[in-house]
Amino acid sequence: MHTEKRLRFPKSSRLTLNSEFKRVRTEGSSVRGEMLALGFLKNAEPIPAARAGFITSRRVGGAVLRNRTRRRLREIFRKHQHEIRGGIWIVTIASARAARGSFRALEDEWLRLGRRASIFAT
């Protein structure tokens, strides 16, 4: 059996309620990049896992583009969730440029914004 951490992203790790998104916006901080904005609320809950939510407005494009962008952002969070400090809520907001960016460009920007926000444990 391999010792690699499990890279799942269950419903319990997602921010789904409007009140949770509002709480990040009102009580938390944010950092902005060219394609993404990262809102974060540290110590939102005492549980050890971080939780994430994603916003892709109609400005991003049609439903297919918005869903593809959201899937890419979820995958980026899923890959890096074990590097994030516990109890943090993260809301990633995609701009219209995010739909045109490559997966690699999105991941690089998300990681750069995450480092600026100091959400990583290492």
Side-chain angles (χ1 to χ4, degrees), residues 23-81:
R23 187 169 165 211
V24 172
R25 192 170 58 239
T26 57
E27 298 175 29
S29 307
S30 66
V31 288
R32 185 172 293 280
E34 287 181 30
M35 295 185 283
L36 304 171
L38 207 65
F40 56 96
L41 178 60
K42 295 181 178 178
N43 303 319
E45 340 177 76
I47 63 164
R51 292 179 65 203
F54 307 94
I55 298 174
T56 50
S57 72
R58 288 205 179 99
R59 269 182 254 145
V60 172
V64 172
L65 266 178
R66 288 197 310 272
N67 290 332
R68 180 187 304 141
T69 304
R70 214 174 4 254
R71 279 194 307 272
R72 286 175 166 181
L73 294 173
R74 271 200 305 264
E75 175 64 11
I76 292 166
F77 177 80
R78 188 188 68 78
K79 272 175 61 179
H80 298 284
Q81 65 188 339

Side-chain angles (χ1 to χ4, degrees), residues 2-3 6 12-13 17 21 33 36 41 54 65 67 70 72 74-75 79-80 91 95-97 110 116:
H2 62 341
T3 58
R6 297 196 60 179
S12 62
S13 295
L17 301 176
F21 283 90
L36 304 171
L41 178 60
F54 307 94
L65 266 178
N67 290 332
R70 214 174 4 254
R72 286 175 166 181
R74 271 200 305 264
E75 175 64 11
K79 272 175 61 179
H80 298 284
V91 174
S95 72
R97 285 183 175 171
W110 193 88
R116 268 182 37 207

